[in-house]
Amino acid sequence: MISRVAESCFWLTRYLERIDTWSRVLDVNSSFRLDIPQATPDRWRPLVIVLGQQADFLERFGEDMIEDAEVVQRYLVWDAENPCSILSSARAVRENARTTREVISVEMWELVNEFWLWLNGRSARRLYDRDRDAFYARVNSHCLMFHGTCYSTMLHDTPYSFIVLGRAVERAGQIARVLDVHHHALGERDGSSAADAEQWIAILRSCAAYEPFFKHTSSVLTGAAVAEFMLFDRTFPRSVIHNLDRTGALLHTLLAQRPAALPPASLNAYERVTGSLAQMDLEDVFELGLHETLTMIVDGITDLCGAIEADFFPAIDAVAPIGRRVETRTAAVEDEASPAPPALNA
């Protein structure tokens, strides 16, 4: 398997995971605004910051617009100049799928094309204007169908391993970012007010964790219980530790196919980020600070992705697949006094 195909497989699902995650976050944020209109201050700015696009947004739309729900949603869904928008990510998914036609199934390629044509057609725009919840649900449905079709129709060989690897590392990082968005709104408090409870529920819904959380745990709905579930529950497929475990297993499998003399930088990077988290419990997390812990995870995963590229895609600099360089060094929400994270650049 050539490195270019492996890299495109890796990035294909990374972009798909971003579409899935941020469509859920936007849907929940939009619903939250309708349910609790008095709790809207500082509701949309963290989404722009966490994607590293605050400078671009402020330059193009101004400070007054960053808490405007419609402007922020258009920017994060439809803006072709924003490399983090759903439209831009969908373009990157299609391009990476196009360059992997020889290894993905026909059904997967057709699903990617169907989604791209729908998103660029009038029906998607009409649905977005008429029924925002249905629009985001349609986007999520496409992502879920792709994963199911991939599992059911593709050979479970090396390309499949890179596809699952891309999803696992991206999902671990995105979950940490989503937690940090809501941490930014709540601070360190773990109160029992109705507004706080809505925030915990918003986190769970943003991560497709609402039902699993209440089915799995008997804990009272608190910030600590939600953070523990999203960080440390190994049975939940969207928790950080579950996806890091999956990443480690895939790395061992893929590295076993490489010459032994080559140093496994990716495995070392994986052990650094996973070892740090595995040695912590919830008390350690709050002693260090939830924001600091999430930043450590996001930065560790960014280093891990860089090491994966160095190990497996070393000679692909002439013509990189679309979106290959789209990455955040520190996507966690920063305090206002701290420098903003670098922008994502395609």
Side-chain angles (χ1 to χ4, degrees):
M1 183 180 183
I2 62 175
S3 295
R4 182 172 301 285
V5 174
E7 185 177 33
S8 293
C9 288
F10 180 71
W11 275 101
L12 169 60
T13 40
R14 290 197 68 182
Y15 273 99
L16 197 72
E17 191 63 26
R18 293 179 187 185
I19 293 171
D20 187 26
T21 299
W22 289 100
S23 62
R24 291 179 189 276
V25 171
L26 289 170
D27 186 21
V28 170
N29 233 39
S30 181
S31 300
F32 194 91
R33 175 186 56 139
L34 299 176
D35 293 341
I36 309 180
Q38 70 274 19
T40 53
D42 212 16
R43 188 74 194 168
W44 294 93
R45 179 191 296 270
L47 273 64
V48 179
I49 296 176
V50 83
L51 287 170
Q53 293 301 110
Q54 181 175 227
D56 178 65
F57 184 94
L58 294 179
E59 181 181 354
R60 294 171 57 192
F61 302 99
E63 176 71 26
D64 294 342
M65 293 291 104
I66 202 163
E67 282 298 333
D68 187 303
E70 289 303 313
V71 173
V72 172
Q73 284 186 85
R74 283 199 301 273
Y75 179 72
L76 296 180
V77 174
W78 298 112
D79 196 310
E81 297 180 31
N82 172 15
C84 306
S85 70
I86 288 177
L87 183 66
S88 297
S89 296
R91 181 184 297 110
V93 167
R94 186 173 185 273
E95 182 61 20
N96 284 300
R98 185 185 64 78
T99 58
T100 57
R101 286 287 307 276
E102 68 268 34
V103 295
I104 66 174
S105 67
V106 173
E107 290 87 349
M108 293 166 64
W109 173 241
E110 289 178 347
L111 271 177
V112 168
N113 271 321
E114 179 185 328
F115 178 59
W116 175 248
L117 292 173
W118 172 77
L119 194 63
N120 284 274
R122 285 182 292 182
S123 61
R125 296 278 182 169
R126 284 198 298 266
L127 187 60
Y128 178 85
D129 293 335
R130 187 181 66 247
D131 189 342
R132 198 65 54 86
D133 288 344
F135 172 82
Y136 290 128
R138 178 79 178 265
V139 173
N140 294 146
S141 178
H142 273 287
C143 295
L144 292 174
M145 280 193 294
F146 180 89
H147 291 312
T149 303
C150 176
Y151 178 83
S152 302
T153 63
M154 186 175 174
L155 290 172
H156 288 204
D157 54 3
T158 302
Y160 178 80
S161 294
F162 278 107
I163 283 178
V164 179
L165 179 65
R167 185 182 66 190
V169 296
E170 187 67 27
R171 184 170 288 178
Q174 293 294 345
I175 293 300
R177 293 184 179 98
V178 171
L179 283 173
D180 214 25
V181 166
H182 292 279
H183 169 266
H184 181 74
L186 283 166
E188 295 290 349
R189 75 178 191 269
D190 189 15
S192 55
S193 68
D196 288 342
E198 289 293 336
Q199 288 283 5
W200 313 137
I201 291 174
I203 292 174
L204 294 172
R205 288 178 56 200
S206 298
C207 302
Y210 183 82
E211 287 189 3
F213 176 82
F214 287 105
K215 286 178 178 177
H216 184 270
T217 179
S218 58
S219 299
V220 178
L221 180 64
T222 65
V226 170
E228 184 173 31
F229 184 72
M230 298 307 306
L231 287 174
F232 295 116
D233 194 297
R234 283 192 150 87
T235 65
F236 179 53
R238 291 180 184 270
S239 76
V240 172
I241 196 68
H242 176 95
N243 285 285
L244 288 177
D245 287 346
R246 194 80 188 272
T247 297
L250 288 163
L251 282 177
H252 279 100
T253 300
L254 291 168
L255 287 168
Q257 303 171 14
R258 301 169 70 242
L262 295 176
S266 56
L267 197 57
N268 293 334
Y270 161 76
E271 289 173 350
R272 281 196 296 274
V273 63
T274 305
S276 300
L277 187 61
Q279 293 173 6
M280 303 175 75
D281 57 20
L282 195 60
E283 186 176 335
D284 297 324
V285 169
F286 282 103
E287 183 176 345
L288 175 62
L290 182 58
H291 170 69
E292 287 73 16
T293 302
L294 296 170
T295 300
M296 177 193 73
I297 293 171
V298 171
D299 283 350
I301 291 173
T302 301
D303 290 340
L304 169 60
C305 291
I308 289 172
E309 293 205 0
D311 276 352
F312 297 104
F313 325 128
I316 312 176
D317 292 322
V319 184
I322 284 182
R324 180 191 174 200
R325 302 303 180 200
V326 178
E327 187 60 270
T328 50
R329 173 65 186 177
T330 303
V333 177
E334 301 290 343
D335 297 332
E336 290 185 1
S338 302
L344 303 179
N345 295 306

